[in-house]
Amino acid sequence: MDVAAKEAAIARFLHEYPQAADAGRGHPALHGCEEVRWSEFSGCPAAIPVLLYGLLDQAAAAEAQRVLTNTMFSIAEMNPAMPVVLPFLLRLAGDPQVPERSGLLDRLVTVADYSEPIDSGNEAMALWFGNDNDHPEREQCRAVFEQHASVVAMLPEGLINPDSRAKLRQAAGLL
């Protein structure tokens, strides 16, 4: 999906959930998200804060997650902005008041999966997903998970299945 299509998806989201643009303003987990120059990342629209705020709106949270996922991932890779989005998502996941929290955790598991290093000896994987030298966001995301290990450690059991929980704990260096 190109940037114009992502921007159109966000515009549709805002049209359907106009209140979502203000839902999370002032939430401590999102402090600084508006200062990021999102559009300077390849393939990233400028309106990422709208989706982050939408994650805090009860009515819009599921759709905000869907649009954010489609904005930040393609079939074989994640957007180079993911290491910058990830701290906001992790802090939100640590807040028990966040609507659709289990869905947010599922998305974090996806980030953990996409962040795993590609075995350079596996030609098929390297062809499909590219090598790690071409995708520094993988290593950067692994570092973000480790920096936020305390948040991952505090996530209560039962929000996601045990394998997904283990994946997050592994990504955070807790296993």
Side-chain angles (χ1 to χ4, degrees):
M1 181 184 311
D2 66 8
V3 174
K6 292 173 184 180
E7 289 172 347
I10 294 170
R12 285 190 300 276
F13 169 77
L14 272 175
H15 180 74
E16 190 170 341
Y17 301 100
Q19 78 287 353
D22 294 321
R25 285 192 195 275
H27 192 285
L30 299 179
H31 179 73
C33 73
E34 288 189 8
E35 283 78 41
V36 176
R37 295 175 184 240
W38 298 104
S39 62
E40 290 182 4
F41 292 97
S42 176
C44 190
I48 295 298
V50 168
L51 298 174
L52 294 172
Y53 294 147
L55 296 173
L56 290 159
D57 183 273
Q58 187 69 39
E63 183 64 7
Q65 285 184 29
R66 187 190 71 75
V67 175
L68 184 62
T69 299
N70 290 341
T71 300
M72 299 308 294
F73 291 97
S74 70
I75 291 173
E77 63 189 26
M78 63 183 149
N79 188 284
M82 183 53 77
V84 180
V85 171
L86 188 53
F88 299 113
L89 299 179
L90 284 163
R91 289 191 297 262
L92 286 173
D95 181 345
Q97 301 302 313
V98 170
E100 303 288 331
R101 189 174 177 208
S102 63
L104 179 57
L105 289 168
D106 287 338
R107 270 124 185 108
L108 289 172
V109 171
T110 301
V111 176
D113 282 335
Y114 273 69
S115 298
E116 289 185 2
I118 300 299
D119 176 6
S120 59
N122 184 334
E123 286 185 37
M125 291 294 285
L127 278 172
W128 184 253
F129 295 105
N131 66 51
D132 286 346
N133 292 334
D134 295 332
H135 295 282
E137 64 274 7
R138 292 179 189 146
E139 184 177 347
Q140 292 165 355
C141 283
R142 291 192 302 270
V144 170
F145 274 112
E146 289 178 10
Q147 290 167 356
H148 291 81
S150 62
V151 173
V152 175
M154 298 300 292
L155 294 172
E157 292 186 31
L159 289 175
I160 54 176
N161 71 53
D163 290 340
S164 294
R165 180 176 166 77
K167 172 65 81 178
L168 289 176
R169 293 179 65 78
Q170 179 182 2
L174 297 170
L175 294 181

